[in-house]
Amino acid sequence: MKYIEKDTIVALATPLGRGAIAVVRLSGQDSLAIVNRLLVRKIGKADVRRAVFSDLIAADSGELIDQVVVTYFQAPASYTGEDVVEISCHCNPLIIDRIISQAVQQGARVAEPGEFTFRAFLNHKLDLSQAEAVAEVIDARTSQSLKQSLHHLEGRLSEKIAAIKNELLDCLSLLEISLDFSEEDLEIIPPEQLRERLTRVVNRIQSFLKTYAYGRLLENGARLLIIGKPNVGKSSLLNLLLGKERAIVSDLPGTTRDYIEAGMQLDGIYIQAVDTAGVRQTRDQVESMGIQRTLELLKTADVALAMFEGHRALDADDQEMLRIIQAHCKETPFVLVVNKADLGVREEALEPLRALELPLVTLSVKEERGLDALKAAIRKALIQEDVGDSEEVVITSARHRAVLEAVVEALGNALQSLQQGAPEEVVALDVRVALDRLGEITGETTPEDVLRHIFSNFCIGK
Amino acid sequence: MSTIYDIVVAGGGHAGIEAALAAARLGLKTALVTLRKDTIGKMSCNPAIGGLAKGHLVREIDALGGEMAKIIDATGIHFKMLNRSKGPAVWSPRAQADRLAYMKEAQRRVLSQPGLTVIEGSVNGLVVKQGRVAAAVLEDGSVIPCRALILSAGTFLNGRIHIGLSNFESGRAGEKAVKGLTEQLRALGFETGRLKTGTPPRIHRDSIDYSKVIEQVPDNPPTPFSFQTEKIDRPQLSCYITYTTAETHEYLRAGLDRSPLYTGVIKAVGPRYCPSIEDKIVRFADKGRHQIFLEPEGFDNPEVYVNGFSTSLPEDVQLAALRSVPGLERAHIIRLGYAVEYDFFPSFQLKHTLETKLVENLYFAGQINGTSGYEEAAAQGLIAGINAVLKLLDREPLVLDRSEAYIAVLIDDLINKTILEPYRMFTSRAEFRLLLRQDNADLRLMEKGYRIGLLPEPVYERMLRKREQIRELERYLQDHSLSPERFNPLAERMGSAPIRVSTPLRQLVKRPEIRLSDLLALMEDAAAFPREVVAQVEFSTKYEGYLKRQQDLVEKFRRMENRVLPEDLDYDRVPSLSAESREKLKQIRPRSLGQASRISGVRHSDIAVLMVYLEKYHRDRDYVSRETVS
């Protein structure tokens, strides 16, 4: 319903796949101003249609997000006919996410699918013969949730939403009965019971919302980082995980100077595994830059494997590792990997690791032992929430998540009203708001639906 | 050559009365055509005015300058404010009327109205010239030339009454049906449908065993309907409650083979919210008993209305079933229950002024639009009457929106929703329910009533004073505080938390357990505010958060209402509309995107398509004009 607004929109313009670069596009009169607030090298009028290389930073903290190439198209000579800025960044879902959310913080709005094309159409960038096609795109889009979920999830998502809607409709009609049919000889639902039912709906939606993280993993994949001191076996572990020789393996510490990436599948989740330079105190400039890079990568990782050796006590490099883990384990899930189990595992090696209270797996890369346990630990670290029985239906769309969050908020208001003993019609207001929002996924709920529900379930009538 | 009337109203029911009085009071030469003068204002069914949501309608009619509230205030015998245990938004006044007195009072008002002529007869046809009403034609062939015609024929158009398997032409018990008018309108291109409604038997009040029924006493003191009524001092009567028994259900079930409903004789659809008793026992077979209200029809009238027992079963079944109900063992039936089938005109054929789209200056109001209930009918009568006048005087029409009045919800629903059963108002139909209260109908609508010319100036000025006092009190609450010493004793009494520092009244009122009147009593310098002013401010302060959320929804609604659809929009040229949506949009021709989104059968996704098309339409126009300039 936002198609008519004239604000600035932002979205990923390239497909969400694996590739070298991705393009984030903004369109609207504030595009340039918004992007300039994120760029170290500002874009001016002289830069129209020129590719400009710049660091892209977080506007608030100044923290580097990525190095990007920016192209500015001035209205009306652009795809949409408005001011358009295209940011080519590295194709990493986390980088893309951060750029988009920075743009949103600066006043852009996440575009509805098809909205760039739609604006192009409105601004006569597409000829009239294409009008019908565009309208069809939009048409398909607005009923998208139903159609798409039918497609992708064989209807289970819509079933699930429909069930939530039905339960809310049920609760609402019970409220409405007490308001519109209070003169009838009907049993009125006690507030306590209504509260229970609404709470159940909220819980259901919330556990459903938790699948979003998992859904995103399915959709975007995850980034796995392997860190550890030099020669602890990071590259060998990566190779083992990949099932092929990918990283350069040698006995010389520091073989992996920067980092090496490779893609793999784990239980249906695409994992971008990153083998990093070894962590140690060093004066070698190239190597310390590599370590610095590792620390940056940690911030965008979905899971980090911290490798140690089990056959001897921790050394100074390992202590450095412990400091890094302690500094980052709040934001990044860690799995401690104790390698070289083939050489024996000593208690004094394990004890300081156990003290971290993080998941710990003992294995031997050389003997290819303990891999299943590691995979299970990775999976658990990625999917922190218990996805439970909703495992088969997950939310992958940010739009659905936003709608469901709004529904939860409205129901929270309704529950609070019930708690305070507020009259039914104000409780009903928020249940209606919830249904109204839910309608953005499933289609509108009208007062007619509520009455139909009442008449089909209750004997009304003087 | 007979007299030319500005406005002819056909039908003297609750819609006709409002239409005719409004037209005459606004200075137009008006005629009310009714079968008999002495049946004007007859309550054909329930002897009551108001009720949940319907009470809101009556208060709104009153605020606009209509009649219904005053008539019931003058003739009510059992007033009750319903839903008192709920929040103020859903309180609704209801009153039993002395049926004969109500009718007499309505007649007195109609017959004494200057500029209003009552003609006995029935309108069986009309003359249309160049797409515009030119005259009404009566059954005897006489022609009444007029500039506008308001049709409010109730259940009379091809009315057919059913009792058991026997049926006969009749508009209402003992009165003849109107034939020919539907046929002529159909020939003019109108679509018609059939609906059904029913009424219960009336029994003699002395045949009730009052020891076996539960008494229901009226409010004391009664709350008037009209903002202009100071006080009601008529003596009041009680109603009584009883219940059907398993035996009752057996009698009814045994009679189903002679039910016109269950043998397929009646094909029209009746209201789901007011099913017949036979319908109830069939559809809800596991319900052991059904509630029955025994409602007196007046002091001098021995008839008692058996509310909840609407039926079209044969006489012997009605009697046997009734007599198995506790308290009714010796019931004497004065009039039998019956079902009536009648013609109606689906309202997509109307504009929001209730003028028909097909024939200019022809208006439809009341049951012929598919509604049920006196209040729904009266509301439409008033709106049709007012708009017929405004149009003839070349003034702006009166079209309310859904955030302003229940009346608007009613008319908007009639036009946009597919009517499958008689339409009744419910509070749940009003999405902005918290704003549309019976206690603020004056604040919402009196300005309009006054500007139209129906609401007397002193009444309007009283409302303005009330509005000013509300502002004053709001300011007072903002500016004044209570100290802990003064407030805490009250807090303790009411089980409210004590305060430690002086606290603004505005904040204290927000506590659910604290009443504003109690706070004001603690203030030495507080001016005396009338009760209704205190009530308004208390509500708006206590429910501020909810009202804010409700207001947000209103804004969202208004934005869609303001997206006007061009009158020349060719839906056949809008790409990608679904066939059903296209059909509906062409039929109703909504004024706005908002209205389009409320039409039954128009898909949600098609609204988006329309939105796109609309934006394109406007930009193209801008584009063209820009191009022309440059």
Side-chain angles (χ1 to χ4, degrees):
Chain A
M1 291 295 163
K2 287 175 183 158
Y3 288 110
I4 313 302
E5 316 293 338
K6 285 163 190 159
D7 51 0
T8 298
I9 51 175
V10 60
L12 179 66
T14 44
L16 236 181
R18 331 295 155 201
I21 60 161
V23 176
V24 173
R25 182 194 273 157
L26 291 91
S27 176
Q29 53 186 14
D30 299 328
S31 305
L32 189 61
I34 289 169
V35 173
N36 264 339
R37 288 199 282 275
L38 306 176
L39 294 182
V40 172
R41 151 79 161 86
K42 309 290 178 199
I43 309 282
K45 295 281 177 198
D47 298 318
V48 169
R49 287 179 170 265
R50 278 186 48 207
V52 176
F53 180 77
S54 168
D55 282 354
L56 190 144
I57 54 167
D60 39 8
S61 63
E63 184 192 349
L64 178 70
I65 295 175
D66 196 11
Q67 295 186 316
V68 298
V69 173
V70 180
T71 319
Y72 167 47
F73 302 88
Q74 197 173 19
S78 72
Y79 175 64
T80 61
E82 303 172 326
D83 271 4
V84 166
V85 180
E86 291 183 353
I87 304 168
S88 305
C89 62
H90 290 102
C91 186
N92 173 335
L94 296 149
I95 290 175
I96 294 165
D97 248 21
R98 291 190 68 195
I99 293 177
I100 289 176
S101 67
Q102 280 293 323
V104 167
Q105 265 178 39
Q106 297 304 317
R109 168 171 64 75
V110 175
E112 307 271 323
E115 199 170 4
F116 286 99
T117 308
F118 174 56
R119 288 188 174 200
F121 162 66
L122 290 179
N123 292 317
H124 303 272
K125 286 287 164 180
L126 298 174
D127 67 50
L128 277 172
S129 67
Q130 289 168 282
E132 188 163 357
V134 172
E136 265 163 13
V137 167
I138 310 266
D139 183 22
R141 244 271 318 141
T142 42
S143 48
Q144 137 191 357
S145 54
L146 276 167
K147 286 183 188 162
Q148 258 185 16
S149 51
L150 275 168
H151 228 77
H152 295 301
L153 302 165
E154 299 151 55
R156 277 176 302 202
L157 172 66
S158 40
E159 251 171 48
K160 192 121 182 168
I161 299 284
I164 291 171
K165 178 180 166 177
N166 239 335
E167 174 64 11
L168 283 181
L169 208 52
D170 226 36
C171 292
L172 182 59
S173 58
L174 288 167
L175 281 164
E176 296 295 355
I177 277 180
S178 72
L179 295 170
D180 269 339
F181 304 96
S182 55
E183 297 298 292
E184 310 275 346
D185 182 29
L186 294 170
E187 270 180 50
I188 301 298
I189 185 170
E192 201 39 58
Q193 216 176 315
L194 190 63
R195 203 155 73 200
E196 268 170 38
R197 291 184 70 167
L198 286 177
T199 308
R200 266 207 305 274
V201 176
V202 170
N203 290 342
R204 249 167 91 186
I205 298 177
Q206 257 159 356
S207 75
F208 198 28
L209 271 171
K210 285 176 186 167
T211 67
Y212 179 67
Y214 180 59
R216 267 180 45 102
L217 283 179
L218 286 183
E219 183 91 6
N220 297 347
R223 201 167 170 82
L224 175 144
L225 208 63
I226 306 175
I227 63 172
K229 65 181 177 186
N231 218 19
V232 72
K234 298 184 294 297
S235 301
S236 305
L237 178 62
L238 176 65
N239 286 339
L240 184 60
L241 283 169
L242 293 174
K244 61 184 172 194
E245 293 275 318
R246 170 66 199 252
I248 307 157
V249 186
S250 94
D251 288 334
L252 273 174
T255 313
T256 308
R257 286 284 169 99
D258 195 355
Y259 64 95
I260 287 172
E261 290 195 24
M264 57 180 259
Q265 294 280 335
L266 180 80
D267 294 353
I269 302 171
Y270 176 87
I271 291 183
Q272 187 78 15
V274 183
D275 176 19
T276 63
V279 171
R280 68 168 175 184
Q281 288 151 321
T282 174
R283 290 210 185 94
D284 181 322
Q285 247 196 340
V286 178
E287 206 168 277
S288 77
M289 266 175 69
I291 292 169
Q292 201 51 44
R293 186 80 183 129
T294 298
L295 294 181
E296 273 164 32
L297 286 169
L298 248 186
K299 290 178 191 159
T300 57
D302 294 294
V303 60
L305 305 184
M307 287 187 79
F308 298 89
E309 298 166 320
H311 65 289
R312 56 182 179 220
L314 302 189
D315 58 20
D317 290 342
D318 289 323
Q319 295 299 338
E320 180 69 22
M321 278 285 294
L322 289 183
R323 274 192 293 279
I324 292 173
I325 293 169
Q326 270 159 346
H328 292 85
C329 68
K330 287 277 185 293
E331 64 247 37
T332 309
F334 276 87
V335 175
L336 307 178
V337 180
V338 179
N339 191 21
K340 305 189 184 174
D342 43 298
L343 302 176
V345 179
R346 293 174 57 165
E347 197 50 37
E348 62 251 61
L350 287 184
E351 205 173 332
L353 297 180
R354 285 211 190 95
L356 292 171
E357 294 187 340
L358 291 168
L360 191 150
V361 177
T362 307
L363 51 68
S364 161
V365 174
K366 193 172 170 192
E367 293 181 356
E368 301 189 4
R369 201 143 51 77
L371 202 59
D372 287 342
L374 177 62
K375 283 182 176 171
I378 293 172
R379 190 187 145 84
K380 212 170 160 196
L382 284 175
I383 308 156
Q384 287 155 310
E385 302 296 349
D386 180 17
V387 179
D389 69 337
S390 1
E391 204 167 301
E392 42 191 295
V393 188
V394 293
I395 307 172
T396 53
S397 141
R399 197 175 72 87
H400 290 173
R401 181 176 68 153
V403 166
L404 290 174
E405 278 171 351
V407 171
V408 167
E409 188 193 325
L411 292 179
N413 286 336
L415 281 167
Q416 196 188 344
S417 304
L418 274 172
Q419 184 82 39
Q420 293 166 348
E424 287 91 336
E425 72 271 22
V426 307
V427 179
L429 168 71
D430 286 312
V431 178
R432 274 169 184 253
V433 170
L435 270 167
D436 189 59
R437 297 310 305 267
L438 206 57
E440 291 171 21
I441 300 180
T442 61
E444 200 97 50
T445 307
T446 64
E448 226 57 41
D449 295 338
V450 182
L451 285 169
R452 202 175 301 132
H453 206 85
I454 292 175
F455 292 138
S456 58
N457 290 310
F458 298 91
C459 175
I460 303 291
K462 291 184 173 180
Chain B
M1 182 75 195
S2 44
T3 328
I4 298 180
Y5 287 95
D6 291 318
I7 292 172
V8 167
V9 179
H14 306 278
I17 292 170
E18 298 290 349
L21 284 174
R25 282 177 185 160
L26 291 173
L28 294 199
K29 196 171 166 53
T30 307
L32 174 63
V33 182
T34 174
L35 283 165
R36 284 165 49 183
K37 280 184 188 175
D38 63 3
T39 56
I40 291 175
K42 187 168 173 178
M43 302 178 121
S44 351
C45 192
N46 199 344
I49 295 292
L52 298 169
K54 290 160 168 278
H56 289 73
L57 284 172
V58 181
R59 297 280 276 173
E60 292 179 356
I61 291 168
D62 188 61
L64 287 171
E67 212 61 12
M68 179 169 260
K70 290 181 206 154
I71 307 178
I72 183 63
D73 281 350
T75 59
I77 51 173
H78 178 110
F79 285 81
K80 212 173 173 75
M81 183 64 83
L82 304 181
N83 265 351
R84 256 193 208 279
S85 63
K86 323 281 176 199
V90 292
W91 290 18
S92 210
R94 181 180 194 269
Q96 297 294 133
D98 183 320
R99 211 162 69 90
L100 296 174
Y102 188 97
M103 196 159 71
K104 288 264 153 20
E105 179 64 17
Q107 286 162 19
R108 187 185 69 74
R109 284 165 185 262
V110 167
L111 295 171
S112 64
Q113 175 62 44
L116 176 57
T117 309
V118 176
I119 300 169
E120 287 198 332
S122 83
V123 174
N124 283 47
L126 67 162
V127 179
V128 178
K129 280 184 186 156
Q130 280 141 11
R132 186 181 300 177
V133 164
V137 181
L138 303 194
E139 194 182 20
D140 61 6
S142 57
V143 173
I144 306 176
C146 61
R147 297 164 68 204
L149 173 63
I150 298 171
L151 206 57
S152 50
T155 59
F156 280 78
L157 299 183
N158 291 321
R160 177 168 288 273
I161 282 183
H162 296 260
I163 299 175
L165 296 179
S166 63
N167 54 77
F168 47 92
E169 281 170 13
S170 176
R172 190 158 64 182
E175 295 175 57
K176 61 182 182 180
V178 173
K179 305 198 53 133
L181 187 54
T182 312
E183 290 71 12
Q184 195 196 341
L185 288 168
R186 217 179 277 146
L188 284 168
F190 283 97
E191 259 184 50
T192 65
R194 269 317 244 179
L195 287 174
K196 168 244 156 185
T197 188
T199 193
R202 314 304 201 266
I203 58 176
H204 199 288
R205 63 182 172 202
D206 296 338
S207 67
I208 298 169
D209 181 350
Y210 290 95
S211 69
K212 293 187 179 159
V213 294
I214 306 150
E215 184 175 8
Q216 224 195 7
V217 296
D219 288 349
N220 188 21
T223 314
F225 276 84
S226 173
F227 289 99
Q228 298 179 53
T229 305
E230 293 287 320
K231 164 162 186 258
I232 285 155
D233 41 22
R234 271 179 83 86
Q236 302 286 295
L237 289 176
S238 289
C239 291
Y240 299 89
I241 294 175
T242 182
Y243 295 91
T244 58
T245 61
E247 201 189 341
T248 317
H249 299 185
E250 263 167 51
Y251 281 120
L252 294 168
R253 220 168 280 126
L256 288 179
D257 59 342
R258 287 182 289 148
S259 153
L261 278 177
Y262 284 91
T263 52
V265 177
I266 293 178
K267 292 192 181 66
V269 184
R272 283 173 301 177
Y273 49 82
C274 187
S276 61
I277 187 72
E278 51 268 35
D279 223 5
K280 285 191 240 181
I281 60 148
V282 172
R283 288 186 47 216
F284 300 94
D286 50 347
K287 201 163 153 122
R289 62 175 204 178
H290 295 280
Q291 182 175 256
I292 289 173
F293 285 94
L294 300 172
E295 300 174 347
E297 297 209 343
F299 285 100
D300 304 325
N301 185 348
E303 290 180 37
V304 169
Y305 181 91
V306 188
N307 194 341
F309 208 82
S310 166
T311 179
S312 54
L313 288 168
E315 180 172 0
D316 57 305
V317 182
Q318 289 193 25
L319 190 64
L322 211 49
R323 286 189 168 170
S324 66
V325 173
L328 306 184
E329 293 85 351
R330 272 188 296 279
H332 165 61
I333 295 182
I334 300 176
R335 278 200 287 149
L336 285 172
Y338 63 83
V340 57
E341 279 186 290
Y342 55 96
D343 294 336
F344 82 106
F345 299 88
S347 300
F348 66 82
Q349 304 171 97
L350 301 179
K351 301 176 182 173
H352 277 77
T353 56
L354 298 182
E355 186 184 17
T356 66
K357 290 174 182 168
L358 273 175
V359 177
E360 201 179 344
N361 290 344
L362 175 64
Y363 295 79
F364 288 168
Q367 252 167 316
I368 65 164
N369 287 338
T371 58
S372 82
Y374 310 141
E375 304 80 2
E376 288 85 347
Q380 293 170 67
L382 182 64
I383 296 298
I386 288 172
N387 278 313
V389 172
L390 294 176
K391 176 142 193 229
L392 291 181
L393 298 180
D394 213 12
R395 288 171 58 187
E396 277 289 297
L398 173 69
V399 175
L400 302 166
D401 80 39
R402 299 177 72 94
S403 66
E404 290 178 304
Y406 272 84
I407 295 179
V409 174
L410 165 70
I411 293 174
D412 192 63
D413 277 354
L414 285 181
I415 291 173
N416 298 318
K417 305 290 171 207
T418 307
I419 300 287
L420 297 172
E421 62 176 328
Y423 178 100
R424 175 185 149 177
M425 187 44 74
F426 292 106
T427 72
S428 51
R429 294 193 193 272
E431 57 272 55
F432 310 118
R433 179 163 58 191
L434 292 189
L435 304 177
L436 307 184
R437 303 188 302 278
Q438 59 86 24
D439 62 43
N440 69 2
D442 53 343
L443 298 167
R444 290 186 277 125
L445 299 172
M446 276 193 176
E447 175 129 20
K448 293 204 159 73
Y450 172 68
R451 300 228 175 276
I452 288 161
L454 274 183
L455 193 78
E457 182 143 10
V459 183
Y460 172 60
E461 276 174 356
R462 210 162 57 225
M463 182 279 290
L464 290 183
R465 267 202 304 285
K466 178 174 167 185
R467 191 178 274 168
E468 189 41 49
Q469 283 176 311
I470 289 171
R471 283 200 203 106
E472 258 172 58
L473 182 52
E474 278 168 353
R475 270 198 301 272
Y476 185 86
L477 297 189
Q478 191 101 49
D479 298 344
H480 291 75
S481 300
L482 268 173
S483 64
E485 298 78 60
R486 291 195 80 92
F487 175 72
N488 287 345
L490 173 69
E492 201 183 326
R493 245 190 356 266
M494 307 309 293
S496 192
I499 53 174
R500 260 179 267 146
V501 290
S502 211
T503 307
L505 291 175
R506 202 172 168 283
Q507 239 163 293
L508 296 174
V509 189
K510 283 187 180 287
R511 300 184 173 196
E513 65 280 6
I514 295 295
R515 282 197 308 262
L516 176 54
S517 54
D518 289 342
L519 291 177
L520 291 176
L522 296 175
M523 305 300 292
E524 278 157 357
D525 61 339
F529 287 96
R531 242 195 11 228
E532 51 301 355
V533 170
V534 174
Q536 291 298 320
V537 175
E538 176 149 35
F539 181 80
S540 62
T541 314
K542 272 199 167 48
Y543 294 91
E544 196 179 9
Y546 299 106
L547 289 171
K548 165 86 180 57
R549 291 210 281 285
Q550 181 85 90
Q551 199 59 50
D552 289 344
L553 293 178
V554 171
E555 302 304 325
K556 189 175 159 191
F557 158 79
R558 288 256 162 84
R559 278 200 295 277
M560 290 288 280
E561 293 304 289
N562 289 338
R563 299 240 171 102
V564 176
L565 293 166
E567 285 189 20
D568 61 351
L569 197 141
D570 180 357
Y571 289 101
D572 284 327
R573 297 189 57 184
V574 182
S576 297
L577 283 179
S578 72
E580 195 196 357
S581 298
R582 196 188 303 275
E583 213 39 58
K584 286 284 188 180
L585 289 165
K586 283 164 74 176
Q587 191 178 57
I588 296 181
R589 302 208 60 85
R591 292 172 306 164
S592 64
L593 266 180
Q595 189 192 339
S597 71
R598 293 192 296 275
I599 297 173
S600 335
V602 171
R603 293 188 338 197
H604 212 53
S605 54
D606 284 328
I607 297 303
V609 171
L610 213 51
M611 228 182 228
V612 171
Y613 189 82
L614 189 62
E615 184 66 11
K616 176 75 181 154
Y617 179 96
H618 288 309
R619 288 205 193 184
D620 278 355
R621 271 211 318 226
D622 293 351
Y623 190 68
V624 169
S625 55
R626 250 203 330 268
E627 297 280 285
T628 327
V629 171
S630 61

